[in-house]
Amino acid sequence: MKFPGQRKSKHYFPVDARDPLVAQIQQENPLSRTHLVGVGQTIVDIEARVDDAFLARHNLSKGHSLVLEEDKAEELYQELKERNLISHEYPGDTIGNTLHNYSVLADDASILLGVMSQDLKIGSYAYRYLCNTSSRMDLDYLQPVSGPIGRCYTLITEDGERTFAINEGDMNQLRPEFVPEAAFENASALVLSSYLVRGKPTDPMKDSALKAIEYAKKHNVPVVLTLGTKYVIEGKQEWWIEFLKEHVTCVAMNEEEAEALTGEKDPLLAADKALEWVDLVLCTAGPIGLYMAGYTEDELKRESTLPLLPGRIAEFNKYEFSRPMTKASCENPIRVYSHIAPYLGGPVEIKNTNGAGDAALSALLHDMSANVYHKANVPNSAKHVAKCLTYSSFSQICQYSNRVSYQVLTQHAPRLSRGLPEREDCLEEAYWER
Ligand SMILES: Nc1ncnc2c1ncn2[C@@H]1O[C@H](COP(=O)(O)OP(=O)(O)OP(=O)(O)O)[C@@H](O)[C@H]1O
Ligand SMILES: O=c1[nH]cnc2c1ncn2[C@@H]1O[C@H](CO)[C@@H](O)[C@H]1O
């Protein structure tokens, strides 16, 4: 496990490969490992530049993700092909992206539960998916299917906005028996998306997601839900709120999804509202940057030395140097919030915003895993006197998530093509204090 954030801090582990005491411990007891597990919809993103008329012709709603009927999807594909509009093809899926990015950042294992075409043809979409996925992502549990994996037409209009049109293929055919309990032993988190429940009523995907949640709970693995698109939430708020209350530790969303869920337009107020149902919130807000909200123990709160920020909650970032905890593990829980503006004000040229939110979430998950890893290997560390959800503070995670989003904005693909530059390993020194 490569560590996130302040890697030179005294709690960094493995502390120093040259320290004879540490070397000894490592020889006697191999380090305990952890991994991230996710239930995904295996999808290839097919990117094309189109105009607004194209979206109108295919009845697509700009900025969102819609599932098309097979014949409509074929019509759309034919037009893209005939007009030679397809520019890139990448592995996609919000969960696949998150797991891949996690594996790249942590240089460690993640497990994808999903489907894969059993008869692979070289050059096919399934083949492309596998070739361009991190070798740290464990694909051994995938369920073989006879049909194609999903295709996500990623349509970029002149204003830089992206609209998704989905041809499902067999992406929702994952059956519960392909969700093995073994994948949850020692897992640091289970990550799911709200997209998993929008298949046909006869699709087994929803039951598979519920099976995964059942195992996660059994093994005390936090459940992290990313909201995907506001259309999955709108009109079903009550259902989602019950779902969050019952199953979810951490929710990740952008400001539109946050509004659909909470009715609050302001991302800070929306994040605050979501704390009524979950323990930790990541809310991205495009050019505004991102917010986090969560709980910490009153006695353990740590005051920020950064400027206090104005917002709909006065001095909301006052305790952002605290580490997130579940509400239940606090005796006197207090709410903590943090915000960060886009890294360096955002890239000079945004290649594509596709995947920026997934990138932010993968950084948070990396930090959660680092905590589990550190706790398993250095249980007596002062870091673990209280049961925290993450290794770093709210503030540090905001910085890290934002930095990773920036990296995705500067490239076409929705997944990180490589880790962050090594010279930035210590965020404080190399980047934030510039
Ligand atoms: N126009 C922009 N300028 C600067 N930074 C941006 C811009 N858009 C996004 N970002 C950065 O990327 C992060 C995530 O972006 P955004 O809120 O667009 O995610 P999202 O809508 O969930 O994306 P996706 O669903 O495509 O993964 C933001 O917190 C911000 O740091
Ligand atoms: O219905 C869906 N299920 C799963 N992933 C999706 C769906 N629609 C879009 N994306 C994925 O969202 C990523 C960016 O966040 C894209 O890579 C796209 O593949």
Side-chain angles (χ1 to χ4, degrees):
M1 162 89 55
K2 198 171 164 184
F3 262 57
Q6 282 181 312
R7 301 208 175 102
K8 288 183 187 163
S9 93
K10 59 181 172 175
H11 297 296
Y12 169 53
F13 190 87
V15 187
D16 182 347
R18 281 164 303 180
D19 183 327
L21 286 183
V22 172
Q24 204 181 333
I25 298 170
Q26 286 179 13
Q27 267 173 10
E28 283 166 13
N29 300 311
L31 291 176
S32 160
R33 306 285 302 270
T34 184
H35 61 270
L36 177 64
V37 53
V39 179
Q41 291 160 310
T42 322
I43 292 178
V44 165
D45 286 358
I46 301 173
E47 192 180 307
R49 297 219 160 246
V50 301
D51 51 22
D52 288 350
F54 183 100
L55 297 185
R57 214 166 27 255
H58 294 278
N59 290 320
L60 296 170
S61 148
K62 195 187 267 195
H64 300 116
S65 169
L66 293 170
V67 180
L68 301 183
E69 297 291 328
E70 184 65 35
D71 54 334
K72 299 266 187 267
E74 199 47 41
E75 246 171 60
L76 187 148
Y77 184 56
Q78 285 313 325
E79 183 172 349
L80 292 180
K81 280 285 247 197
E82 273 160 26
R83 293 177 54 201
N84 218 1
L85 293 173
I86 296 173
S87 57
H88 300 88
E89 289 165 351
Y90 304 108
D93 169 33
T94 190
I95 297 302
N97 295 346
T98 305
L99 296 181
H100 168 97
N101 290 342
Y102 166 84
S103 279
V104 168
L105 292 168
D107 195 20
D108 219 329
S110 57
I111 296 180
L112 175 66
L113 304 176
V115 303
M116 182 49 67
S117 303
Q118 60 189 357
D119 297 318
L120 270 190
K121 291 208 173 54
I122 293 180
S124 65
Y125 288 120
Y127 175 85
R128 295 256 164 81
Y129 186 97
L130 295 174
C131 287
N132 293 304
T133 292
S134 163
S135 56
R136 292 286 202 184
M137 211 161 124
D138 185 344
L139 304 172
D140 288 356
Y141 295 96
L142 292 176
Q143 172 192 322
V145 287
S146 53
I149 61 170
R151 294 184 221 169
C152 174
Y153 301 107
T154 305
L155 307 167
I156 317 271
T157 29
E158 268 168 28
D159 49 10
E161 186 65 89
R162 53 107 187 106
T163 303
F164 298 126
I166 305 276
N167 182 351
E168 291 176 299
D170 278 352
M171 73 179 196
N172 286 323
Q173 298 312 311
L174 179 72
R175 297 195 305 273
E177 61 265 36
F178 280 87
V179 176
E181 184 170 353
F184 296 81
E185 289 160 11
N186 302 322
S188 52
L190 164 68
V191 57
L192 303 165
S193 83
S194 60
Y195 289 130
L196 298 180
V197 305
R198 74 165 170 174
K200 298 184 216 38
T202 50
D203 287 341
M205 181 53 101
K206 192 171 156 190
D207 288 341
S208 300
L210 290 172
K211 186 96 218 165
I213 290 174
E214 182 192 320
Y215 287 141
K217 286 182 177 166
K218 183 170 168 195
H219 292 274
N220 288 320
V221 173
V223 177
V224 178
L225 179 79
T226 171
L227 290 191
T229 174
K230 69 172 183 176
Y231 282 144
V232 188
I233 310 297
E234 272 174 356
K236 289 195 184 153
Q237 289 95 321
E238 291 311 317
W239 189 88
W240 281 109
I241 289 169
E242 283 312 308
F243 187 89
L244 291 173
K245 277 196 211 159
E246 201 177 333
H247 303 302
V248 177
T249 304
C250 169
V251 68
M253 53 198 179
N254 69 17
E255 75 279 36
E256 281 190 341
E257 293 141 17
E259 184 182 355
L261 179 72
T262 64
E264 292 286 357
K265 218 178 172 50
D266 182 90
L268 176 62
L269 292 184
D272 181 51
K273 179 104 192 201
L275 284 184
E276 287 170 26
W277 316 310
V278 298
D279 299 295
L280 187 60
V281 182
L282 173 69
C283 184
T284 63
I288 308 290
L290 56 85
Y291 291 84
M292 279 187 74
Y295 291 96
T296 207
E297 175 61 48
D298 189 25
E299 241 184 36
L300 299 176
K301 66 180 184 282
R302 290 190 302 213
E303 213 165 304
S304 179
T305 56
L306 301 174
L308 293 182
L309 297 172
R312 299 286 295 277
I313 300 171
E315 301 186 337
F316 68 88
N317 63 324
K318 188 163 182 188
Y319 295 111
E320 65 189 346
F321 283 9
S322 314
R323 283 166 70 209
M325 297 171 68
T326 61
K327 191 178 182 192
S329 58
C330 301
E331 239 169 75
N332 295 304
I334 61 158
R335 290 187 182 201
V336 179
Y337 314 88
S338 188
H339 168 262
I340 185 106
Y343 175 51
L344 301 179
V348 178
E349 186 200 355
I350 295 183
K351 294 263 196 251
N352 192 332
T353 62
N354 193 16
D358 301 340
L361 176 57
S362 56
L364 166 60
L365 290 164
H366 180 195
D367 201 277
M368 289 172 74
S369 281
N371 192 49
V372 171
Y373 177 77
H374 191 269
K375 192 171 176 183
N377 290 297
V378 200
N380 298 331
S381 162
K383 271 239 158 220
H384 307 298
V385 286
K387 201 169 156 230
C388 291
L389 277 171
T390 65
Y391 183 75
S392 313
S393 67
F394 285 90
S395 168
Q396 186 81 17
I397 300 167
C398 278
Q399 293 178 7
Y400 184 40
S401 291
N402 211 38
R403 173 66 186 92
V404 178
S405 287
Y406 175 93
Q407 197 66 21
V408 166
L409 293 177
T410 58
Q411 54 172 58
H412 264 287
R415 297 180 176 192
L416 288 172
S417 46
R418 60 187 121 88
L420 297 185
E422 283 300 323
R423 64 188 168 78
E424 274 187 20
D425 269 3
C426 176
L427 286 173
E428 298 299 332
E429 281 175 25
Y431 151 57
W432 297 102
E433 291 182 356
R434 219 192 275 182

